[in-house]
C-alpha cells in the first residue's frame, strides 16, 4: 500500500505541475489580477471518504461566499445526501466555513485562504462499476476567473466527465483528462457566479466501498412538491375552471346583454276597446315577481309592493289612522285571479276570520312569510323565467362547493401526513371554494327570463320619464295607481309621487283621516307607510335571510 500511495504522491505532483521549473511548485489559485481563482484538490481515501482542499484567492476589497446544498434531489421524493465534516479555514485571508446537515457554507475575505473538509457519500455503485461524483466548484456568489481541479484515487480511474456552467446544462469543462497513474485533472476558464463544475470519475470495482446515500424525502416540503402528476392535476383544474367560466358566461351572457345593451321600446300604456288608457306590465309580470326576476331573491320590498298592488286591485283598503298608524281592511275575498304567492301574501296579512288589522298590531304577530317565498319561487319557475328555483339552485351549488372544499382539506391533511402528493387535496380545496363562491351566479334565467329583464329596464324607463300630460285626465288616477307598485319594487317611488303630486284629489284604494285635498299629502305620507310596512315585514318574517 505504501508503494501505491508513493506513486499517487508522484502523480499528484505531476498533475499539479505546469511545465519547466514550475512543475515542482503548487498551482496558483489566482488568475488575472483583481479576480477570484480557485485550486481544488480532491483525494479519495481507501475508506471512501473524499478529502477536499480548496485554495481560493480573493482580491483586495472583495469577498467570496459559497453555499453548497448537501441534499440533492435525484427523483420524486428522493434526495442524495452528502455528509461534510472536519471543516477548517487557514491562510492569510480571513474566512469562515461551517457545515450543517443541509448545506456547506464558506465565506472568504481578501487574501489566499485554504479550506479543508471531508465528504462522505460521493461514491455510488453504478452497475458493475463505482462512480465518484462531487462538485468542486458551485454556489459561489462571484465569478471565478479560473478553476483548477485535481483528483487522486486509490486505483487507476477508468473514466472522467467534467461539466461546467449553469446547473442542469451539459457543457463540458475547458479541459478534463486522465493523468498518468491514479490522477484526474480538469480546468475551467471563467466560471460565472452561481455556475458549477460537476466532476464524475469512473472507478475500478472494489477500489473503495460505495457510500452514496439516497433518502426518501418526507414532511410538508415533499408532500407539496410539484410533480408531473400534481402538475397535470393543477392543469386539469385550470381547464375545468375555464370550462365552467365559459359555460357560466354563456348562460349569463343573455342577462349581461339585457342589463348593458340599449333598451328597446316597452309600451306599458295601452288603450282598450272603449278608448280608455290603462297600464299593462310586460309579459304580465306582477310587482313581486319583478323583484325576484331582477335579483333572483325574494325580498321584503317584493311583499310590500304586492300588498300595495292588492290594494290597488280592490282586495284591500288601506287607511291612515291617528297620523302614525295604518289600517288594512278586507275589501274583497281572494279569488282565482290571484297568483299563488299573492294569495299567500293576502292570507298572511288578513288570515281567515280577520277582516281588519292595524300595522301596529302586525308588529306583535309572528307572520310566516316562508309560504310567500316558496310560492313566489314556484311562480317564477311556472312562468318559465327560471328553469329551477333560484334558491334551491344556489343552495345546491353552495353545499356542493363546501362539501368539496371540506373533503379537499381532509385529503390534504391525510396526504401530507403520509408524504404523498398533497397538492391534489389543494386542487380539491380550490375547486370547492370556486364552486361555493360561484353558487350565487348559478340560477340562470331562461331566454324568456332574460327578455323580461330587458323589458323591466324599459318599465323603469317609463317610470322615470312619464308625465301626467301623457295620460288623459279621466284615466290618470287608475294609471298612477296601477304603476305605483312597480315604482315601489324598482325604487322609483319618490320620483313617481313627485311627478303626480297635486294632479288629482283622493285615491280610490287609500284613505286618510283628513279627507279631501290632492295627492300632495299622500306623496308626503306614503314613503313613511312603506318604511313602516317594510320594517314590520322584515322583523316578523326575516324574509331576506330566507331568500
Amino acid at each position: 500500500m505504501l508503494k501505491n500511495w508513493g506513486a499517487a504522491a508522484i502523480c499528484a505532483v505531476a498533475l499539479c505541475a505546469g511545465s519547466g521549473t514550475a512543475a515542482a511548485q503548487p498551482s496558483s489559485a489566482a488568475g488575472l489580477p483583481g479576480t477570484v481563482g480557485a485550486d481544488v484538490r480532491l483525494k479519495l481515501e481507501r475508506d471512501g471518504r473524499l478529502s477536499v482542499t480548496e485554495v481560493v484567492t480573493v482580491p483586495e476589497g472583495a469577498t467570496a461566499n459559497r453555499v453548497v446544498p448537501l441534499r440533492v434531489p435525484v427523483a420524486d421524493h428522493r434526495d442524495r445526501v452528502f455528509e461534510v465534516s472536519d471543516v477548517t479555514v487557514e491562510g492569510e485571508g480571513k474566512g469562515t466555513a461551517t457545515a450543517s446537515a443541509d448545506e456547506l457554507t464558506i465565506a472568504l475575505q481578501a487574501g489566499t485562504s485554504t479550506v479543508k473538509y471531508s465528504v462522505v457519500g460521493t461514491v455510488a455503485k453504478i452497475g458493475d462499476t463505482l462512480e465518484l461524483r462531487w462538485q468542486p466548484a458551485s454556489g459561489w456568489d462571484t465569478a471565478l476567473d479560473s478553476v483548477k481541479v485535481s483528483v487522486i484515487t486509490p486505483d487507476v480511474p477508468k473514466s472522467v466527465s467534467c461539466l461546467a456552467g449553469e446547473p442542469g446544462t451539459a457543457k463540458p469543462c475547458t479541459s478534463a483528462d486522465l493523468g498518468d497513474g491514479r490522477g484526474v485533472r480538469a480546468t475551467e476558464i471563467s466560471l460565472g457566479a452561481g455556475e458549477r463544475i460537476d466532476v464524475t470519475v469512473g472507478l475500478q470495482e472494489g477500489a473503495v466501498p460505495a457510500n452514496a446515500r439516497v433518502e426518501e424525502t418526507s414532511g410538508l416540503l415533499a408532500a407539496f412538491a410539484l410533480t408531473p402528476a400534481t402538475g397535470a392535476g393543477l392543469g386539469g383544474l385550470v381547464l375545468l375552471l375555464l370550462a365552467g367560466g365559459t359555460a357560466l358566461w354563456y348562460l349569463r351572457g343573455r342577462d349581461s346583454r339585457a342589463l348593458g345593451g340599449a333598451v328597446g321600446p316597452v309600451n306599458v300604456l295601452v288603450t282598450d276597446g272603449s278608448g280608455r288608457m290603462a297600464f299593462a306590465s310586460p309579459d304580465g309580470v306582477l310587482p313581486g315577481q319583478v323583484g325576484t326576476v331582477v335579483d333572483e331573491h325574494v325580498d321584503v320590498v317584493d311583499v310590500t309592493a304586492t300588498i300595495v298592488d292588492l290594494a290597488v286591485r280592490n282586495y284591500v283598503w288601506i287607511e291612515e289612522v291617528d297620523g302614525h298608524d295604518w289600517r288594512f281592511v278586507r275589501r274583497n275575498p281572494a279569488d282565482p285571479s290571484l297568483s299563488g304567492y299573492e294569495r299567500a301574501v293576502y292570507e298572511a296579512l288578513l288570515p281567515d276570520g280577520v277582516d281588519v288589522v292595524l300595522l301596529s298590531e302586525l308588529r306583535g304577530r309572528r307572520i310566516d312569510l316562508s309560504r310567500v317565498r316558496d310560492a313566489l319561487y314556484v311562480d317564477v319557475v311556472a312562468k318559465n323565467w327560471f328553469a329551477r328555483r333560484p334558491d334551491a339552485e344556489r343552495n345546491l351549488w353552495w353545499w356542493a362547493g363546501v362539501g368539496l372544499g371540506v373533503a379537499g382539506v381532509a385529503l390534504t391533511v391525510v396526504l401530507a401526513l403520509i408524504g404523498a402528493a398533497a397538492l391534489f387535496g389543494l386542487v380539491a380545496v380550490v375547486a370547492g371554494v370556486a364552486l361555493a363562491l360561484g353558487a350565487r351566479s348559478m340560477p340562470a334565467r331562461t331566454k324568456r327570463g332574460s327578455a323580461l329583464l330587458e323589458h323591466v329596464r324599459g318599465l323603469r324607463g317609463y317610470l322615470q320619464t312619464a308625465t301626467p300630460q301623457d295620460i288623459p285626465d279621466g284615466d290618470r288616477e287608475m294609471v298612477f295607481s296601477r304603476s305605483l307598485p312597480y315604482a315601489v319594487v324598482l325604487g322609483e317611488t319618490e320620483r313617481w309621487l313627485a311627478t303626480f303630486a297635486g294632479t288629482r284629489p283622493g285615491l280610490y284604494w287609500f284613505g286618510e283621516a283628513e279627507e279631501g285635498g290632492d295627492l300632495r299629502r299622500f306623496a308626503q305620507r306614503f314613503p313613511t307607510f312603506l318604511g313602516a310596512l317594510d320594517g314590520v315585514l322584515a322583523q316578523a318574517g326575516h324574509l331576506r335571510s330566507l331568500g
Side-chain angles (χ1 to χ4, degrees):
M1 184 174 74
L2 293 176
K3 180 180 179 181
N4 290 341
W5 283 116
I10 295 172
C11 179
V13 172
L15 287 171
C16 298
S19 60
T21 58
Q25 302 298 325
S27 300
S28 172
L32 298 174
T35 61
V36 178
D39 186 345
V40 184
R41 304 160 192 173
L42 308 178
K43 179 182 178 183
L44 183 61
E45 309 290 351
R46 284 288 185 183
D47 60 2
R49 289 183 301 109
L50 181 66
S51 297
V52 182
T53 300
E54 299 183 15
V55 180
V56 183
T57 299
V58 181
E60 285 295 328
T63 61
N65 302 286
R66 184 186 184 195
V67 178
V68 183
L70 301 181
R71 300 185 67 93
V72 181
V74 293
D76 291 346
H77 311 308
R78 293 169 66 84
D79 287 348
R80 183 167 178 177
V81 181
F82 299 92
E83 181 181 343
V84 173
S85 60
D86 303 326
V87 184
T88 62
V89 180
E90 302 172 351
E92 61 184 28
K94 296 180 180 179
T96 60
T98 59
S100 66
D102 295 322
E103 62 184 23
L104 167 66
T105 303
I106 300 173
L108 304 178
Q109 298 184 23
T112 300
S113 301
T114 301
V115 183
K116 297 181 180 181
Y117 54 90
S118 296
V119 187
V120 175
T122 60
V123 181
K125 180 76 171 176
I126 308 294
D128 295 333
T129 63
L130 294 177
E131 181 181 274
L132 165 67
R133 185 173 183 180
W134 182 244
Q135 293 185 352
S138 65
W140 287 104
D141 65 352
T142 184
L144 278 67
D145 177 66
S146 67
V147 180
K148 297 180 180 180
V149 181
S150 64
V151 185
I152 299 176
T153 60
D155 292 329
V156 178
K158 296 174 60 177
S159 62
V160 60
S161 171
C162 182
L163 303 177
E166 294 287 342
T169 64
K171 173 181 170 292
C173 297
T174 303
S175 65
D177 56 80
L178 297 172
D180 296 335
R182 294 185 296 276
V184 170
R185 60 189 176 190
T187 302
E188 176 62 19
I189 304 299
S190 185
L191 188 71
E195 296 183 344
R196 92 317 185 198
I197 296 178
D198 196 332
V199 174
T200 303
V201 179
L203 304 172
Q204 301 289 343
E205 184 178 6
V208 294
N211 57 13
R213 183 157 54 99
V214 177
E215 293 183 356
E216 295 287 337
T217 57
S218 59
L220 294 180
L221 185 60
F224 290 97
L226 184 62
T227 65
T230 55
L234 291 173
L237 172 63
V238 171
L239 292 177
L240 183 62
L241 292 177
L242 288 176
T246 301
L248 193 60
W249 172 85
Y250 173 77
L251 292 173
R252 306 293 288 194
R254 296 189 300 265
D255 296 345
S256 298
R257 290 188 292 273
L259 291 172
V263 181
V266 177
N267 186 18
V268 297
L269 297 179
V270 298
T271 303
D272 59 21
S274 62
R276 302 293 300 273
M277 182 174 286
F279 172 87
S281 64
D283 204 9
V285 65
L286 297 168
Q289 295 168 344
V290 168
T292 305
V293 170
V294 169
D295 66 7
E296 302 166 353
H297 288 86
V298 177
D299 302 311
V300 166
V301 68
D302 302 336
V303 181
T304 299
T306 299
I307 292 175
V308 174
D309 192 49
L310 289 174
V312 170
R313 290 157 59 193
N314 282 319
Y315 289 96
V316 177
W317 167 262
I318 302 175
E319 182 180 20
E320 183 180 2
V321 294
D322 299 332
H324 57 80
D325 204 352
W326 290 266
R327 179 185 293 121
F328 299 93
V329 181
R330 187 191 302 270
R331 176 171 276 185
N332 287 299
D335 56 37
S337 64
L338 292 180
S339 67
Y341 92 90
E342 287 179 316
R343 182 181 293 273
V345 172
Y346 185 86
E347 293 176 354
L349 182 66
L350 296 170
D352 289 341
V354 178
D355 293 329
V356 180
V357 65
L358 291 173
L359 183 60
S360 58
E361 295 174 346
L362 294 178
R363 291 190 178 95
R365 189 209 299 177
R366 178 67 179 180
I367 301 177
D368 183 9
L369 294 180
S370 60
R371 183 182 164 208
V372 175
R373 176 203 61 191
D374 294 339
L376 191 44
Y377 281 136
V378 169
D379 272 4
V380 295
V381 173
K383 291 286 189 178
N384 196 28
W385 294 322
F386 289 93
R388 288 169 295 278
R389 284 182 52 151
D391 61 331
E393 193 85 352
R394 279 189 299 272
N395 289 339
L396 173 64
W397 288 104
W398 189 83
W399 282 112
V402 170
L404 182 59
V406 171
V409 171
L411 181 62
T412 301
V413 172
V414 171
L415 292 178
L417 289 177
I418 65 176
L423 282 180
F424 281 124
L426 290 183
V427 167
V429 172
V430 172
V433 171
L435 199 58
L437 292 177
R440 62 188 183 91
S441 298
M442 291 304 180
R445 300 176 186 87
T446 62
K447 289 184 178 180
R448 182 175 177 180
S450 295
L452 176 62
L453 200 63
E454 185 171 358
H455 291 157
V456 168
R457 288 186 64 208
L459 175 58
R460 177 180 274 117
Y462 152 76
L463 294 170
Q464 292 173 344
T465 59
T467 65
Q469 289 72 33
D470 299 330
I471 307 165
D473 184 66
D475 302 325
R476 198 169 293 160
E477 179 184 4
M478 179 62 70
V479 171
F480 167 82
S481 298
R482 292 302 301 269
S483 304
L484 183 59
Y486 295 88
V488 171
V489 79
L490 292 175
E492 299 293 337
T493 305
E494 292 187 7
R495 190 268 167 194
W496 192 249
L497 292 174
T499 299
F500 285 83
T503 59
R504 185 178 179 87
L507 287 173
Y508 66 90
W509 54 272
F510 191 95
E512 298 180 83
E514 298 180 11
E515 296 294 341
D518 54 27
L519 288 179
R520 288 191 179 89
R521 175 172 171 77
F522 174 79
Q524 294 172 354
R525 298 296 298 155
F526 188 67
T528 304
F529 162 74
L530 292 179
L533 182 56
D534 283 345
V536 169
L537 294 176
Q539 180 181 5
H542 305 288
L543 187 60
R544 189 62 179 90
S545 62
L546 295 174

